[in-house]
Amino acid sequence: FNVASEAPFVRPTWMMGLAGMLDGFGTQMGSGCTSGHGVCGITRLSMRSLVATGTFMVAGMAIATLLVGVLS
């Protein structure tokens, strides 16, 4: 049973580590995590959370599109 061969996009370990560090940096910089802003902040109609969640979504889509194009 080899899970790695069934995964559609296998990424190197260093890339996953870098992504984790960037996520932690973004959490510190954005004064909260993506889930906190997206779930709690938006329900409170916090402008800061609305902007942060929109930024997370746009940046995530852009990076995913870039990585699929570059690494495929």
Side-chain angles (χ1 to χ4, degrees):
F1 186 79
N2 188 357
V3 177
S5 65
E6 297 173 10
F9 299 106
V10 178
R11 301 289 183 231
T13 304
W14 68 265
M15 188 179 291
M16 291 186 290
L18 177 62
M21 287 189 285
L22 289 173
D23 188 52
F25 176 73
T27 299
Q28 179 69 31
M29 199 169 115
S31 299
C33 68
T34 54
S35 300
H37 280 295
V39 176
C40 297
I42 288 179
T43 57
R44 294 182 325 144
L45 298 177
S46 166
M47 184 55 69
R48 179 182 189 167
S49 291
L50 290 168
V51 171
T53 303
T55 302
F56 299 149
M57 296 298 291
V58 170
M61 287 185 269
I63 296 297
T65 302
L66 177 71
L67 287 178
V68 168
V70 170
L71 298 177
S72 333

